[in-house]
Amino acid sequence: MSGPKVVRIVTREEIISICEGFLRRLDQTIDTWMRDGKRIGELTDEEVANTLERRKMLGALLAQDAFMDLQKMAPDEIAFLNADLARRQQIAVDKATQARKRQRQGQDSADSLMQALKSGDIAIPMELHEKLRLLASGNALKDADAILAQGFSLLTPQAPVGLTDAQRDLAERLMVGIEAQDSVGWKSTHVAPVPTDRIERIDRQIVELQMLLEADETADFAARLRTIEAAKVDVQQNLLLDSLILDLATVIEGAREHRAAMAELTMLAAELREYDLSATTLLESIAAAASSTPIRVINEFSSECRVLITQAQQRREAEARRRAILQGLAQLGYEVNDGMETAWARDGQIVAKKPSLPGYGVEIGGQAHTGRLQVRSVALTIDRDTSRDKGVEIIWCGEFSKLQELLAENGNNLTIERALGVGAVPLKVVSDSQLSVNTETKGRTLG
């Protein structure tokens, strides 16, 4: 048994609010996972359906009061989806990088092949000429290899068709010394070499940037690369490529930070709307934020959201804590009225009387928004038989245990953090005139 106590209360409403916050963050993560996964073409309808089914299962945990399970599983699901999206983006980057490499090889080969055909005064069929021209201009064609093979065949010396055996033998003797080359060999001698490692690195950087920004925001880098590639292969070209690599690295890092900040802001804005606060102007500004919005402004918006959300959470939690304590006291036979919750919020403490214990009451003090409260038996008159004080404290200790049980039945948790022994300090005296107003606390406290 003990006397005055410092206690902490966690209400069911508070726990539900925490769980709902996890679900809101999960919903935002799923939205991002679906949007980006579909945009890069690395997500199937079946995978989306499976994820939504897992989300439904987690939502059911809240309805089942499986709060601990939800608080563990929701963060795990969020971490999984973030890692899964990063993996899918890596796959998309690999595919796009290889596609750019093939496109570049096709472009270089088509350009060199057209020059060779022209210098050899070899006629090119009109349809083939147009396809080669498109490849040489950097267009991606599905049958690029077949087109190049068809063009290369025009360069390959062949024995005339429809000749007699004697004529064919003569033609073969005339072709002696003309080395036959396949397309690979021809490319090695006719297609200008490029600094492959640097080019492939830049290709990958451009693809990564395209995952983060809109196409028009990455076009300048692609244009710079084309200009550098068209230049003479020398030390100057390598310097230009190195400079482009550094510029891309800087922009990619900034884009990643910006994207992460925007993702955080989006989650905070969703949570802010959930609390239905009068932050219309802020929410409108957040909705208008885009990739061009400076990260400094985004972080400022996030800070404002956090402050408003914290304030709203504290208000809700304080109301729930005060309500839970007062309802519990009422069940124990203490006089509780509608104005006591308001008085507690205003004055920081209240005193509840119990008709079966005339001259005594229970004082509850402290700021409910912190969850840390002080409870103690008090006397309502200085002119009393003080020999009863210790017995009243013992009664209150028993009732406190009952209060814990009543709160637990409703999903609330009331625990003792610190306590003094029964009779360790004299009962604080609170007059009738002080029951509804906050007064200076006298006597020893536990704060």
Side-chain angles (χ1 to χ4, degrees):
M1 295 182 292
S2 60
K5 306 172 183 65
V6 171
V7 300
R8 182 172 295 277
I9 178 172
V10 179
T11 66
R12 173 184 171 83
E13 287 87 343
E14 183 178 351
I15 297 172
I16 290 176
S17 178
I18 292 172
C19 291
E20 288 175 340
F22 277 122
L23 291 176
R24 280 194 295 271
R25 287 189 284 277
L26 175 58
D27 287 340
Q28 190 61 49
T29 302
I30 291 174
D31 287 344
T32 301
W33 178 80
M34 291 173 56
R35 182 185 66 248
D36 290 358
K38 288 183 177 180
R39 182 171 63 84
I40 62 178
E42 293 294 332
L43 199 59
T44 66
D45 292 339
E46 182 180 0
E47 289 169 326
V48 171
N50 290 338
T51 296
L52 294 178
E53 185 61 30
R54 292 197 303 273
R55 167 60 179 86
K56 183 178 178 181
M57 181 270 292
L58 290 173
L61 292 178
L62 182 60
Q64 298 164 8
D65 288 356
F67 302 132
M68 294 298 292
D69 290 340
L70 176 55
Q71 291 180 62
K72 178 183 182 301
M73 296 173 68
D76 288 347
E77 181 70 6
I78 290 172
F80 166 76
L81 290 174
N82 286 331
D84 184 69
L85 178 58
R87 179 184 64 82
R88 294 174 190 275
Q89 289 173 331
Q90 190 66 35
I91 292 173
V93 167
D94 291 342
K95 290 181 179 179
T97 301
Q98 288 301 314
R100 286 180 63 87
K101 181 179 180 179
R102 290 193 298 271
Q103 181 179 343
R104 175 176 290 101
Q105 292 172 339
Q107 180 179 359
D108 293 340
S109 297
D111 183 63
S112 298
L113 181 57
M114 290 183 71
Q115 292 181 27
L117 292 171
K118 182 178 180 180
S119 63
D121 199 24
I122 299 175
I124 308 174
M126 185 177 299
E127 183 179 357
L128 176 61
H129 184 277
E130 177 60 19
K131 290 180 178 180
L132 288 173
R133 185 191 67 78
L134 289 173
L135 283 176
S137 299
N139 291 276
L141 302 180
K142 292 182 179 180
D143 53 347
D145 290 339
I147 295 170
L148 291 172
Q150 184 180 355
F152 176 75
S153 67
L154 298 177
L155 292 174
T156 305
Q158 298 179 359
V161 183
L163 302 180
T164 65
D165 291 342
Q167 290 173 323
R168 188 176 295 106
D169 289 340
L170 176 62
E172 289 176 354
R173 288 196 298 273
L174 290 174
M175 293 174 64
V176 172
I178 300 179
E179 182 181 357
Q181 285 184 303
D182 58 14
S183 59
V184 176
W186 183 86
K187 290 177 184 178
S188 66
T189 57
H190 291 79
V191 179
V194 294
T196 307
D197 292 343
R198 288 182 174 88
I199 294 293
E200 290 185 358
R201 182 176 178 182
I202 292 172
D203 275 343
R204 189 172 193 85
Q205 286 179 308
I206 290 176
V207 171
E208 288 177 355
L209 194 58
Q210 289 172 340
M211 296 285 176
L212 300 169
L213 302 176
E214 299 297 331
D216 58 341
E217 296 177 284
T218 62
D220 288 345
F221 292 104
R224 280 177 61 182
L225 177 58
R226 288 193 295 272
T227 300
I228 296 172
E229 285 184 284
K232 182 179 179 181
V233 180
D234 57 11
V235 175
Q236 178 67 20
Q237 186 189 50
N238 287 336
L239 290 175
L240 291 173
L241 290 172
D242 289 341
S243 175
L244 181 55
I245 288 172
L246 292 175
D247 289 346
L248 277 165
T250 300
V251 175
I252 288 172
E253 182 180 2
R256 285 174 177 164
E257 291 179 357
H258 191 283
R259 188 179 183 86
M262 279 295 295
E264 177 69 12
L265 178 59
T266 302
M267 285 190 179
L268 290 169
E271 192 164 0
L272 185 57
R273 292 189 193 93
E274 191 68 24
Y275 283 107
D276 194 25
L277 302 177
S278 56
T280 307
T281 302
L282 174 59
L283 290 172
E284 289 176 351
S285 299
I286 292 173
S291 58
S292 59
T293 305
I295 193 169
R296 171 186 58 80
V297 176
I298 293 173
N299 290 334
E300 289 175 356
F301 287 160
S302 294
S303 296
E304 290 184 59
C305 285
R306 291 190 189 96
V307 170
L308 292 174
I309 290 169
T310 298
Q311 291 174 348
Q313 287 175 332
Q314 289 179 343
R315 283 194 299 269
R316 284 191 179 185
E317 291 166 2
E319 291 170 0
R321 290 165 184 159
R322 287 192 292 263
R323 185 165 56 250
I325 292 289
L326 291 175
Q327 288 175 349
L329 289 176
Q331 288 179 275
L332 291 174
Y334 285 85
E335 294 180 346
V336 174
N337 57 60
D338 294 338
M340 291 180 73
E341 186 175 338
T342 302
W344 185 356
R346 181 189 67 234
D347 304 329
Q349 63 184 30
I350 58 164
V351 175
K353 296 188 297 182
K354 189 172 185 179
S356 61
L357 283 174
Y360 293 93
V362 172
E363 181 188 72
I364 305 169
Q367 298 301 316
H369 68 271
T370 66
R372 193 167 181 262
L373 307 173
Q374 180 174 298
V375 296
R376 63 194 300 170
S377 295
V378 294
L380 304 181
T381 176
I382 194 170
D383 185 17
R384 69 188 188 284
D385 181 3
T386 56
S387 64
R388 297 179 58 208
D389 290 358
K390 186 174 181 179
V392 169
E393 283 197 89
I394 293 174
I395 292 173
W396 164 240
C397 286
E399 290 184 331
F400 180 82
S401 296
K402 293 180 181 178
L403 179 62
Q404 288 179 301
E405 294 173 2
L406 290 171
L407 292 175
E409 290 175 2
N410 295 315
N412 307 305
N413 183 36
L414 181 64
T415 57
I416 299 174
E417 289 194 343
R418 189 178 172 194
L420 296 177
V422 172
V425 293
L427 288 190
K428 175 183 173 183
V429 179
V430 179
S431 66
D432 287 339
S433 61
Q434 294 176 304
L435 295 182
S436 299
V437 296
N438 187 29
T439 61
E440 181 182 356
T441 303
K442 300 179 180 179
R444 182 178 174 186
T445 65
L446 301 176

